[in-house]
Amino acid sequence: MAKKPTNPYYHPEEQRRGAPPRPVSPYSDQRAASPAQQRAAAARRKKAAKAKRRKRRLAVFAAVLLACAVLCVAVYNLLNNLVTGGGGVLPGEIGTEDALKGDVVNILCAGIDFEEGREYPNGMGFTDVILYVSFDMKANKISMLQIPRDTYIGEATTTGKINAVALQGKSEPPIAALATLINQQFKLPVDYYVTIDMDAFKAIVDAIGGIEVTVPFDITDDYGNTLHAGTQLIDGATAEFMVRQRHNYGNADIGRLEMQRYMYSALLKTFKSFPIKDILKVMPAYIQYVKTDINLAKMGSLATKVVKVPSENIVMFKVPGEACMVGSQSVFTVHLEATANILNSYFRPYSAPVPAAELSLIELQNTVPDVDSGTGQTMDSIDSGTAQWGQGNVDPNAAAGGSSSAPAA
């Protein structure tokens, strides 16, 4: 057998030597690590890796959170601009005094009527429905004041009537002219406004599937259609008929104001029981036809408070007064003393009373007694069917001419 070649560089002493040691970093611990030290080092490496992953996740979460915040702000601004219509706000000097903000909020609500064939250069029609709402949040009460559309205000308009103030005013938004006049003549602060196109009122009622309302007696229109008395679910067209009809009453426009209380009561009752699906259904119609300077945040805050107000704490009043003639046209003139009493008792809960002599309202005559000037009418009395107003105000001639076979539409 051939011998294996021998390595000329082989030396027997090499058999007793291990592999040459690897160079050691001058910065390392030259001593061999014990098992315990090795486990500690592994734990430290694991902890560091875990901390690194946590930081990475936090960074991703922060980025997502920031993106969501930016998106929410963008959506809020978009919805807020849609809800407010991008309209202007009321002058600050006519609002509630600073000491009472948070306790009371006062809102001017107006229904806008546009006559067919007439031009409206500033986009504002006649404010044929004027409702001043004072929400005493501290006492959890709401007082509502109906101001007749024909209220005589002097030479502020060419007609002398309050319903033309916003139409003929030069302010922006146009409703600010009406809010300013109410502040000056009634001495009432106005914080916000809400206006609705009367022709679109029925669209909003239809959007929520109708509204349940109490009709105090049969109402007959000029065409012989009759809306029968009783509590019933009505559609938008019938709701508009209830709000607009005035020829069925012995005192015309004043009777219409009193009938409108039944609609206000029904709307408030519906709103207080609104499920979220109905809010979503009515929102497109609301955005299209309603203009307001109440932003989404304030609107949400007020809504959560309004739903907690019991119906017996919601009281409706009409400005005391009577119809009279100025030249060739009929107007409504206020009764100063009775008006001052109502305003001081129900609309200035934390402010000093304003005597009748300090109001800038014009009283042309005072010959008839005032309706509900002392106590008003609670929403509870309407809801329960105990409200007193009704049959005594029906015009017999108008009622006799109607037919009970066809519902109003």
Side-chain angles (χ1 to χ4, degrees):
M1 173 182 249
K3 293 183 179 180
K4 294 182 180 178
T6 58
N7 185 343
Y9 303 102
Y10 172 77
H11 193 279
E13 291 182 357
E14 293 295 326
Q15 294 181 343
R16 297 188 297 270
R17 297 176 185 171
R22 290 183 296 177
V24 179
S25 170
Y27 304 104
S28 66
D29 188 354
Q30 307 241 354
R31 294 170 299 175
S34 66
Q37 291 173 325
Q38 292 176 358
R39 288 193 297 270
R44 285 194 298 271
R45 289 193 297 273
K46 185 176 180 181
K47 185 177 180 180
K50 187 176 181 181
K52 188 175 182 180
R53 288 195 299 270
R54 186 185 301 113
K55 288 181 180 179
R56 205 159 40 230
R57 286 196 296 266
L58 287 174
V60 172
F61 176 76
V64 172
L65 191 63
L66 179 61
C68 289
V70 172
L71 180 61
C72 287
V73 170
V75 171
Y76 174 84
N77 289 334
L78 174 63
L79 290 176
N80 192 56
N81 287 335
L82 288 173
V83 168
T84 60
V89 298
L90 298 178
E93 61 270 18
I94 69 173
T96 299
E97 56 187 291
D98 291 341
L100 297 180
K101 288 182 177 178
D103 292 337
V104 181
V105 62
N106 301 288
I107 304 172
L108 173 61
C109 304
I112 312 301
D113 197 18
F114 295 91
E115 293 180 358
E116 189 174 352
R118 180 169 182 160
E119 293 185 1
Y120 298 93
N122 61 358
M124 173 62 67
F126 289 99
T127 52
D128 279 356
V129 174
I130 304 174
L131 184 67
Y132 179 84
V133 180
S134 181
F135 184 10
D136 182 351
M137 295 179 285
K138 188 175 181 180
N140 203 30
K141 294 181 178 179
I142 297 176
S143 297
M144 304 166 68
L145 181 68
Q146 294 173 290
I147 303 176
R149 66 173 187 171
D150 292 336
T151 298
Y152 184 71
I153 56 169
E155 298 179 356
T157 64
T158 56
T159 63
K161 299 180 180 181
I162 196 170
N163 70 333
V165 172
L167 171 66
Q168 298 178 10
K170 305 299 182 183
S171 60
E172 180 55 43
I175 196 68
L178 177 60
T180 300
L181 181 130
I182 289 174
N183 175 255
Q184 293 172 347
Q185 295 203 357
F186 288 84
K187 308 303 180 187
L188 292 173
V190 184
D191 300 307
Y192 303 101
Y193 69 87
V194 177
T195 67
I196 179 172
D197 182 342
M198 291 300 294
D199 285 333
F201 173 67
K202 58 185 179 183
I204 293 181
V205 173
D206 285 336
I208 58 175
I211 185 170
E212 187 177 78
V213 64
T214 297
V215 182
F217 52 82
D218 289 357
I219 309 173
T220 303
D221 66 10
D222 296 337
Y223 304 99
N225 297 316
T226 297
L227 175 61
H228 295 288
T231 300
Q232 54 201 283
L233 184 69
I234 62 175
D235 62 8
T238 308
E240 183 187 25
F241 166 75
M242 273 192 72
V243 171
R244 287 180 177 273
Q245 168 67 9
R246 65 189 176 98
H247 300 299
N248 205 79
Y249 317 127
N251 52 5
D253 275 338
I254 304 308
R256 173 164 60 179
L257 290 181
E258 292 169 337
M259 178 60 74
Q260 285 173 359
R261 295 181 181 182
Y262 289 80
M263 183 59 63
Y264 297 148
S265 177
L267 289 170
L268 280 169
K269 186 166 60 175
T270 300
F271 169 73
K272 291 173 74 172
S273 62
F274 245 23
I276 188 66
K277 63 182 179 64
D278 282 345
I279 295 177
L280 295 177
K281 283 194 298 185
V282 79
M283 188 58 72
Y286 178 91
I287 291 173
Q288 184 176 358
Y289 300 119
V290 176
K291 292 183 179 179
T292 180
D293 61 343
I294 306 177
N295 62 38
L296 278 178
K298 186 65 177 179
M299 196 178 296
S301 175
L302 288 174
T304 58
K305 293 180 174 67
V306 168
V307 296
K308 297 177 182 177
V309 180
S311 57
E312 60 268 21
N313 283 2
I314 302 175
V315 190
M316 306 179 195
F317 298 89
K318 175 188 68 65
V319 171
E322 62 184 274
C324 68
M325 297 299 295
V326 173
S328 60
Q329 69 174 345
S330 174
V331 300
F332 179 87
T333 181
V334 301
H335 291 168
L336 278 174
E337 286 294 340
T339 299
N341 289 337
I342 286 180
L343 299 183
N344 290 330
S345 299
Y346 295 94
F347 294 89
R348 298 190 180 98
Y350 310 110
S351 302
V354 177
E358 294 184 14
L359 298 177
S360 299
L361 296 166
I362 301 171
E363 182 179 89
L364 299 175
Q365 66 184 46
N366 192 333
T367 63
V368 299
D370 296 307
V371 178
D372 68 31
S373 61
T375 59
Q377 192 172 53
T378 65
M379 197 179 83
D380 179 58
S381 69
I382 295 175
D383 292 342
S384 63
T386 60
Q388 296 299 310
W389 181 81
Q391 292 290 352
N393 195 33
V394 180
D395 182 350
N397 295 325
S403 167
S404 60
S405 59

